[in-house]
Amino acid sequence: MAGGPMATPLTAARLLGALRAEGVRAVERSGWRTHHRNHKGPWGGVNGVAIHHTAGTNSLEFVWRGTAALPGPLCHTHLAKNGTATMISAGRANHFGRMARNAYSAMVNESPHHPRPDGAEPIDGNRHTYGIEIENLGDGRDPYPAVQYDQAVRWAAAICRAHGWNQHSVIGHKEGTRRKIDPSFDMNAFRGKVAERLRHPAHWNPEDDAMPLSQEDIEKVAQRVWEKDHFIRVPWGTEANPEWMAKSIIVDTGTRLRDLQEQVTALRAAVCELTAALAADHPGTEASAAAGGRVITTLDQPATRTEPQP
């Protein structure tokens, strides 16, 4: 079902319940249920979900209070680096400002194409969207920890699920106006994660799909690795066949080791024969082939004395 201008905003209780059912680690800040800007303009109908980054650190108090020029609340939920989602508002919030009509239409119609926003901004984005502020510097270098990103996906999916929207009801602030660059991650990839969640029940976790391997599966994997060709480069490989399968390497190494052992045994026997022959030809020679074929010889030769000349 596509989003529409008559979609009624979720009550505080329904919003909190939807988020927690989706696995969002939502915590309630005292007073959040009545903390809003409804007295400054209408709240709803709602059409979509807007994703922001804070462009700063330690911003929880800031998004709650805002400034004199831009009073809080500045979002519906604040998402910390550790994945804690603090509830800020259940009503109109100063998070979006004005919005381009073509961006709004794409969101309402759940179009897979989110165009570059028009320069004119006739739409009241605060009225028609839920907003989350994700703690991040937004400089392209500050990372989004996996737990934080996952919680943002769950947050967006929960609201879409509650309204019957699909992932294209989720937009980045930068997709609704030319004035902004947030969030500093790819929105198409983010929407892909939202779509993946919406294909499953709200309580779904990705690890639920990880089936344990049976013994037969383990043996098949082991056999595949054992026999995988073009896997390991060997020093004795040829130009035509530089990489061998693990099984061939083990077999070839065993064969080479056996040949070397046989050669060493033959060399030891030859050394012993040579030592015996040397002892027979030179009776004054003491020879030993002990210590595993190590040969020690001592030749007795007449001493020569040089007498000093008178």
Side-chain angles (χ1 to χ4, degrees), residues 23-101:
V24 176
R25 302 174 187 176
V27 298
E28 298 184 76
R29 175 159 178 157
S30 177
W32 79 275
R33 294 169 183 253
T34 56
H35 186 49
H36 51 66
R37 301 284 296 167
N38 293 6
H39 60 289
K40 290 295 184 179
W43 167 227
V46 286
N47 306 98
V49 173
I51 309 299
H52 309 264
H53 65 232
T54 62
T57 59
N58 300 318
S59 53
L60 179 58
E61 283 300 318
F62 175 73
V63 300
W64 177 269
R65 299 184 185 280
T67 65
L70 187 68
L74 302 185
C75 61
H76 295 93
T77 305
H78 173 273
L79 186 60
K81 288 280 192 181
N82 65 4
T84 300
T86 302
M87 302 306 296
I88 302 296
S89 178
R92 181 183 174 94
N94 274 336
H95 70 96
F96 205 109
R98 308 304 297 180
M99 184 178 187
R101 182 170 294 281

Side-chain angles (χ1 to χ4, degrees), residues 109-125:
N109 295 321
E110 296 185 319
S111 170
H113 174 62
H114 294 268
R116 182 173 186 265
D118 292 333
E121 300 178 338
I123 306 300
D124 181 356

Side-chain angles (χ1 to χ4, degrees), residues 3 5 18 53 55 113 120 136 150 164 181 241 260 264 268 281 292-293 306:
H53 65 232
H113 174 62
N136 191 275
D150 174 68
I181 62 169
N241 187 24
L260 285 173
V264 169
R268 284 178 174 173
D281 291 343
T306 301

